[in-house]
Structure formats: structure tokens, C-alpha cells
Amino acid sequence: MRTILIACLLGMGLTGAAAGPARLEKGAVPAGPSRAAVERWFSAGRELTCFDQNLDEGPCDMSRAIKFSTFYDAGENNALVFVLYSASVSNAVSHAVGQFRRSDDGWVLVRNIRGVWGEGPDSLSFDGGRAVFTMAALMPGDARCCLSGTQRYEVDLVTGAVKEGPKLPGSTKAQPASSKQLAPRPEGYQGVTYYHNGSDVLVDERAGVIRYDFPKASIRKAVSKGTVLFRGAFATDGSVSGMAYVFKAGCEPAPYRVMGWSKGSTIELRGLAPHRDPNSCAIVASSKRSAHSTLRFEEFSDF
């Protein structure tokens, strides 16, 4: 049965995926014969979603797109599309990969390709029913702006399965002169110093933790050096998500979900922050307008 299925799919266009470099179309809007199908994929809201300033989820529109890179095989029967876009109103950048195929009714989306990470690719080859390419990859000690490694990927165009190779040092990606570089994590490392609302905090992106280092005087009854303010994940595309905490002296920390971005020297997180009863530890509401609903961190610089 599997053999029959593969044979049918090959007959629908994969025979055109012979070995050889793909033709690349790049730009802020999709290009080439699959353009209309790619625009539907990006903006229909079924495969990709975006967030408005209130953190409400909905379809993306083309104004969120930053760059499309569309790779066509030699017969222009198959295409792999890489898109960079802003999923939220912040400066965080997300990426997605879509597989498209030409049919009797025009170009159609085959599937979203999951499991491809990093930045790129600059080139891609279709080879015997596979797409083969290399992405710039995050290596230990890299800041997200400056990926110093490479990783090879193979995508099976019949099943969508992704095979990834090992991460190797030596990316040719340019390193911005002003970028923040994180050295390999030494023993006892807790993070880079940032300012947050009058306090010093330590941001450890690799561990996904932000903790107080020197809390300002007005909050020292509720928090102390080492208290965790955020725990979650810093993604390679600059997006950040996880749980933040609201503190009150004598009460357990109140967690709430936040999401946002990290770019350059700034981190900004937003969420529905819990609001406590002034006379107890009870949570009585959650609000987008709370003083804790937007958390902003600025990296300390001594030059």
C-alpha cells in the first residue's frame, strides 16, 4: 500500500524533483507561480496565526511578512517556502516553512514542514524526492543575533519527514559588530545583568530564567537576591514565552503566562497579570492593564 501511495505521489509532481540547485525567488511578498497559494497559506489563519496588541490570536496579514524565500525545482512542480514574519506587534521574528505542489487546479499547500530551526537557507537542492539545504544554527555560547554554526536538513517531499544533521561550527553568517556575545557558560554562571523597573536582574537565556540580583528597596520585603521573576524559553527567532510571577510579602508567588521578544539590548514580555485582594493573598482578577502586564528589561552597559 505504501509503495502504491508513493508511486501516486511521484506521479503528481515529485518526478520533477531531480537533483540540482533550486531556483530561488526572494522578497517581502511571495514570488513565482505559487504566489497566490503562498499568500493564502500565510493569511488564511489556519496554518499560521498572529497576535494583536491585546495578545488575541488571529490570522496574519501580509503586512506581518518580512521576507519570503521560495525555492522551485527544475520543472516548477514543487516548491519549498521559507517565511520570516512578525507574529506579534513586538519586534519578535518567527519563521515557518511550507511545502507546495502544482496540481491540475493550480498550486496547493501540501503541508507545513515542522522541525527546521535556525536562519536561512541561502541555497537548496531538490534531489530524488528530497529537499536538501543548510541553515545557520545556534551553537553553545551564541547570542541569538549571531548564529555561528551550520546544520544540514533533508526534507522528504512524500512524507514531510525532516532529517537533521549534527550542528557544526563555521557559519558564514555575518556577525554584527555591536551584537551581544555570550561566552560559554562557566560554573556558577547566572546570567547577564539587565535593569527592570529600578532593580537589577540576571537574564540567563540558555536556562530560560530571569532572577532578581539587586531588588530595589521598595520590594525587598517580597523578593530577595535570587528570586525567580520569569521561567520559560528564549527561542532562536527572538521570541520569548513562559511564566512570570507577581510577588506580595507573606504570599506565594502568583504565576501568569507571558510572551514577547528579545531584541538587541531589550526584552519585553506581556500577559494577563494577576491582581490580588489588598487585604489578603487571594487573586481576584487578571488584567492587561496591570502594572505587571508588561515587563521590560534593558541590558546593562558599561561603555
Side-chain angles (χ1 to χ4, degrees):
M1 181 66 182
R2 176 177 171 81
T3 302
I4 295 172
L5 175 61
I6 292 175
C8 290
L9 289 171
L10 289 173
M12 292 169 61
L14 290 180
T15 52
R23 182 174 68 82
L24 170 62
E25 295 275 5
K26 293 195 294 186
V29 296
S34 68
R35 175 174 179 170
V38 175
E39 288 185 351
R40 288 194 299 271
W41 167 63
F42 184 77
S43 60
R46 292 187 295 271
E47 303 292 340
L48 304 178
T49 56
C50 290
F51 299 86
D52 64 18
Q53 61 186 0
N54 295 319
L55 297 179
D56 293 326
E57 188 175 12
C60 300
D61 58 63
M62 293 304 296
S63 68
R64 299 292 191 97
I66 299 170
K67 183 178 73 172
F68 289 89
S69 297
T70 305
F71 296 86
Y72 292 97
D73 69 359
E76 293 200 341
N77 293 309
N78 299 279
L80 214 58
V81 180
F82 297 74
V83 60
L84 292 175
Y85 65 103
S86 178
S88 68
V89 293
S90 69
N91 292 326
V93 176
S94 299
H95 89 138
V97 184
Q99 179 188 350
F100 294 80
R101 184 175 299 138
R102 187 169 62 179
S103 71
D104 292 340
D105 298 322
W107 284 85
V108 295
L109 173 68
V110 179
R111 60 176 64 88
N112 276 11
I113 300 297
R114 314 288 185 184
V116 175
W117 313 103
E119 296 183 16
D122 294 320
S123 61
L124 179 150
S125 294
F126 288 101
D127 183 4
R130 300 173 303 157
V132 181
F133 54 92
T134 300
M135 303 286 284
L138 189 74
M139 301 295 287
D142 284 351
R144 286 184 313 281
C145 65
C146 313
L147 310 186
S148 67
T150 60
Q151 189 164 25
R152 185 175 186 271
Y153 289 90
E154 296 181 8
V155 176
D156 188 318
L157 300 178
V158 173
T159 66
V162 174
K163 180 180 179 181
E164 59 183 56
K167 290 184 180 180
L168 301 174
S171 171
T172 57
K173 183 177 174 61
Q175 305 292 314
S178 61
S179 66
K180 177 181 64 178
Q181 296 290 335
L182 299 181
R185 180 175 179 150
E187 184 177 355
Y189 175 84
Q190 289 187 301
V192 176
T193 300
Y194 279 66
Y195 287 126
H196 168 61
N197 196 25
S199 298
D200 289 0
V201 299
L202 291 173
V203 177
D204 186 342
E205 296 183 355
R206 283 156 291 179
V209 174
I210 301 175
R211 66 181 74 243
Y212 281 101
D213 193 25
F214 293 102
K216 62 183 179 181
S218 61
I219 65 173
R220 288 176 189 166
K221 291 183 178 179
V223 302
S224 59
K225 182 181 179 70
T227 298
V228 173
L229 173 58
F230 167 83
R231 191 182 302 276
F234 288 77
T236 58
D237 64 6
S239 61
V240 185
S241 60
M243 303 297 292
Y245 300 89
V246 170
F247 303 94
K248 182 178 180 180
C251 302
E252 289 293 318
Y256 62 109
R257 187 165 297 280
V258 293
M259 62 179 295
W261 48 266
S262 174
K263 182 177 182 181
S265 61
T266 302
I267 300 169
E268 186 167 307
L269 306 174
R270 296 184 180 184
L272 296 174
H275 178 70
R276 280 193 168 100
D277 183 297
N279 300 313
S280 72
C281 294
I283 304 298
V284 296
S286 295
S287 173
K288 298 175 184 177
R289 297 178 177 84
S290 165
H292 304 289
S293 62
T294 299
L295 304 176
R296 189 175 179 87
F297 306 87
E298 296 287 347
E299 184 180 3
F300 172 79
S301 175
D302 57 1
F303 57 88

